[in-house]
Amino acid sequence: MNDLPTLNKLGEELDLLKQLSERGEIKKASVKAQSIFENYAAMRDMFLRQEDELFAANEALDESEDKIEQLEKKLKEALTSYDYDFGLFRRFCRALDYVNKLKDLSDLPDMLKRITEELGVHRISIVLDRKLCEGLPDSGIPLFFLKGCARFIDATLRKADNRIFIGPISRMMRPDIFFGDPAMTSGSGGSCFAFGLMDKYRPDEMIGLLSIYDPSVSRFNTDMGTDFLENFCSSIASTIIDVINHKKAILLREDVNRITHHDLKTPLNAVINLPHLLLADEDNLEKREMIKGIQDSGYRMLGLINRSYDLYKMESGNYMIDPENVDLIKILQRVEFDLMDLIESKKSALEIIVNKEKWNGKDGFYFKGEELLLFSMLANLIKNGFEATPDGKNVTVSLSEEKDFLISIHNYGTVPASIQKTFFEKYSTDGKIGGTGLGTYSARLIAKVHGGEINMTSSDAEGTRVTLKILSKSLLHFA
């Protein structure tokens, strides 16, 4: 193909053929004409092949463009589906945030309302097994008798690990059970998704039903994917069972506390009342002081028993303070009397400072609060101070009422570094014999219900100082 003459060369060959013909050189002209014809035929065949190749290339290009168009269409569909799924996933994540914030069954209706708005559905209902909620306060959640309704539930839900129903509500048996609403019937129209809520600790036991309703009969259909919905419903079931178990544990704890308080108070009656009889017939002053000490201890123990339940209410934020004018000096004297053995063993003393001056031994120092709570707090903190202070070093309690009300307790010991950051947290202790880590924790709770805050500083150079600060406006609140 590369040996074929160019167009210019072919022109020259034709001119030569013409000259040969004109000169009468027939034989040479015949040979030249044959050569020109063969070159023409070869060139014609080449052009035809190139034309066929060009047509084939055009067809291939058209097919490629069709394939590219189809691929672009599928890619757009995939991106649209991805955007929808991702958007749906984000909505479920936001809805799940509402679920994770559920702390009490009474908040369930509001949670369902928010989820309904987030997911853009018409209605979401949860119905719980009546037996599961026995003993709990009425939360306004619809309840059903599971055993009595089991045949209707089984007839509607698929008998599989994921017990669900999806489709027209007309195919659902007893929609009123699933929605906890007598107005919901098979003739209500529309479509729904129903899910059996299972107990995560006992996977074979159903605790309730979650149902989603939409007026459109095509909204929920058997062709739609339900993975997000099923996982979401399982998360709701898990949260509900935890909320119910937590509430039952709280109620059980309250019952145990009430029973314990009653059982402890009965023998205390003798400790409190018998000293009255003994004092009537006792003239020995030393013995009378001992009997009064027993009686005072009984009263204080009774107060502590009553206060233990109050501390629980403080934890849960349900304690209502009943303040009165309390002389803190008298409380400090009672604490000193109770700790006398410890104070003498440490060769120490309790110093009282009032408004930056040493207490004169006469005047009182009044604060508006609850006496037993304040006694419990100060007794714990001062005892800790004497236990921590080195032998021969005093513990100082400073009272001040300038701009704000301050109680400061100082000792020369040092709080272990391991618990300095957690000093007021529950069960925070470091090797103290008999220590529970509840004394400073209860002190923080008592300070809080009095409208104050408590903090601690500790160093080898300065010792340890615990300070209770109550703003003036908090005192006015109690006035």
Side-chain angles (χ1 to χ4, degrees):
M1 184 180 295
N2 294 331
D3 296 335
L4 293 174
T6 63
L7 291 176
N8 289 334
K9 184 67 175 175
L10 184 60
E12 292 175 357
E13 291 289 321
L14 289 171
D15 289 341
L16 181 58
L17 176 62
K18 182 179 180 182
Q19 291 174 8
L20 291 173
S21 297
E22 289 176 350
R23 291 199 298 265
E25 298 178 10
I26 302 304
K27 187 175 181 178
K28 289 183 179 180
S30 177
V31 172
K32 179 57 66 177
Q34 180 65 34
S35 175
I36 292 173
F37 175 76
E38 290 175 355
N39 286 334
Y40 166 75
M43 291 178 68
R44 181 176 178 276
D45 290 341
M46 182 188 69
F47 288 138
L48 290 174
R49 286 196 302 272
Q50 288 180 341
E51 186 178 40
D52 290 340
E53 290 174 358
L54 180 61
F55 285 145
N58 285 334
E59 290 180 2
L61 180 60
D62 290 340
E63 291 179 0
S64 297
E65 289 177 348
D66 290 340
K67 289 181 179 178
I68 291 173
E69 186 177 349
Q70 292 176 5
L71 287 174
E72 288 180 345
K73 183 178 180 181
K74 289 181 179 180
L75 181 60
K76 288 180 180 178
E77 291 175 352
L79 289 175
T80 301
S81 177
Y82 171 79
D83 288 340
Y84 174 78
D85 288 343
F86 187 69
L88 184 62
F89 175 73
R90 286 188 298 179
R91 291 199 298 273
F92 272 111
C93 287
R94 289 193 294 266
L96 195 58
D97 286 339
Y98 295 128
V99 177
N100 293 333
K101 293 176 182 177
L102 183 67
K103 301 300 181 185
D104 193 274
L105 280 184
S106 61
D107 298 326
L108 190 54
D110 183 61
M111 182 198 82
L112 293 178
K113 180 181 178 182
R114 293 175 180 272
I115 293 175
T116 300
E117 295 171 352
E118 185 65 54
L119 298 184
V121 296
H122 186 77
R123 175 178 180 176
I124 300 179
S125 299
I126 286 182
V127 184
L128 297 177
D129 179 17
R130 185 181 302 166
K131 185 177 180 181
L132 180 74
C133 299
E134 283 181 354
L136 297 179
D138 182 17
S139 61
I141 302 300
L143 304 176
F144 68 95
F145 182 48
L146 180 59
K147 289 185 178 181
C149 300
R151 60 192 180 99
F152 303 116
I153 296 170
D154 290 339
T156 298
L157 298 182
R158 289 205 312 244
K159 293 184 178 180
D161 292 338
N162 53 340
R163 290 170 59 81
I164 68 171
F165 168 84
I166 184 167
I169 198 170
S170 58
R171 297 180 184 176
M172 174 182 279
M173 182 173 286
R174 295 294 302 273
D176 58 321
I177 294 175
F178 282 81
F179 288 91
D181 182 0
M184 296 297 292
T185 67
S186 298
S188 297
S191 58
C192 66
F193 170 86
F195 187 89
L197 302 176
M198 310 305 291
D199 188 336
K200 66 177 179 179
Y201 300 111
R202 293 182 289 271
D204 294 332
E205 293 189 17
M206 182 179 291
I207 64 169
L209 303 165
L210 185 147
S211 302
I212 306 176
Y213 170 75
D214 194 88
S216 171
V217 74
S218 61
R219 175 64 185 268
F220 297 104
N221 58 80
T222 54
D223 293 331
M224 67 180 292
T226 60
D227 289 346
F228 283 157
L229 271 177
E230 291 181 46
N231 291 329
F232 180 68
C233 292
S234 294
S235 297
I236 291 180
S238 176
T239 299
I240 287 176
I241 201 68
D242 285 342
V243 168
I244 289 176
N245 287 342
H246 179 66
K247 186 63 177 181
K248 287 184 175 180
I250 291 176
L251 294 175
L252 178 61
R253 180 178 175 180
E254 292 177 349
D255 290 340
V256 170
N257 279 334
R258 282 192 291 268
I259 294 171
T260 302
H261 294 162
H262 178 269
D263 290 347
L264 288 176
K265 286 180 180 179
T266 300
L268 267 180
N269 287 332
V271 177
I272 293 172
N273 293 322
L274 286 178
H276 287 292
L277 301 177
L278 295 175
L279 287 172
D281 299 324
E282 184 59 62
D283 296 326
N284 187 297
L285 293 179
E286 184 176 351
K287 290 183 178 180
R288 289 181 66 87
E289 288 299 320
M290 293 174 63
I291 294 171
K292 286 182 178 179
I294 294 173
Q295 190 178 48
D296 288 343
S297 295
Y299 276 118
R300 284 193 292 274
M301 185 177 291
L302 179 62
L304 291 174
I305 291 172
N306 291 333
R307 291 302 137 188
S308 64
Y309 185 56
D310 291 339
L311 288 177
Y312 163 71
K313 291 195 289 185
M314 291 180 205
E315 281 185 309
S316 58
N318 296 321
Y319 187 83
M320 298 297 293
I321 190 171
D322 184 19
E324 58 184 350
N325 284 323
V326 179
D327 186 354
L328 291 183
I329 298 296
K330 288 185 177 180
I331 289 181
L332 293 176
Q333 290 176 322
R334 285 170 55 192
V335 171
E336 183 181 28
F337 178 80
D338 288 348
L339 299 178
M340 189 55 65
D341 290 342
L342 173 61
I343 295 173
E344 291 178 351
S345 70
K346 301 286 286 191
K347 298 176 182 178
S348 181
L350 178 66
E351 294 184 356
I352 301 176
I353 305 295
V354 178
N355 293 325
K356 299 180 180 181
E357 300 287 342
K358 187 174 181 179
W359 178 53
N360 59 19
K362 298 179 181 179
D363 298 334
F365 189 91
Y366 291 90
F367 170 68
K368 206 168 186 64
E370 285 201 22
E371 183 174 359
L372 286 176
L373 285 183
L374 294 171
F375 173 81
S376 175
M377 178 183 69
L378 291 173
N380 276 319
L381 296 177
I382 293 173
K383 181 182 178 183
N384 287 346
F386 278 112
E387 289 175 339
T389 200
D391 290 353
K393 295 289 186 178
N394 294 341
V395 172
T396 303
V397 178
S398 301
L399 307 175
S400 172
E401 53 177 351
E402 295 179 354
K403 182 178 179 181
D404 299 315
F405 186 89
L406 296 175
I407 301 176
S408 175
I409 301 171
H410 175 266
N411 73 80
Y412 289 92
T414 306
V415 175
S418 61
I419 63 169
Q420 285 193 14
K421 292 183 178 180
T422 61
F423 188 71
F424 293 105
E425 293 182 10
K426 202 171 187 178
Y427 308 126
S428 178
T429 185
D430 184 79
K432 178 180 174 181
I433 298 175
T436 63
L438 294 176
T440 52
Y441 174 69
S442 65
R444 186 184 72 177
L445 293 177
I446 293 171
K448 185 177 179 180
V449 299
H450 281 86
E453 58 184 29
I454 194 168
N455 60 72
M456 180 275 297
T457 59
S458 183
S459 67
D460 293 335
E462 301 293 333
T464 299
R465 183 178 301 276
V466 176
T467 303
L468 167 65
K469 179 180 180 180
I470 298 178
L471 301 178
S472 298
K473 61 181 181 180
S474 296
L475 296 176
L476 292 174
H477 174 71
F478 295 133

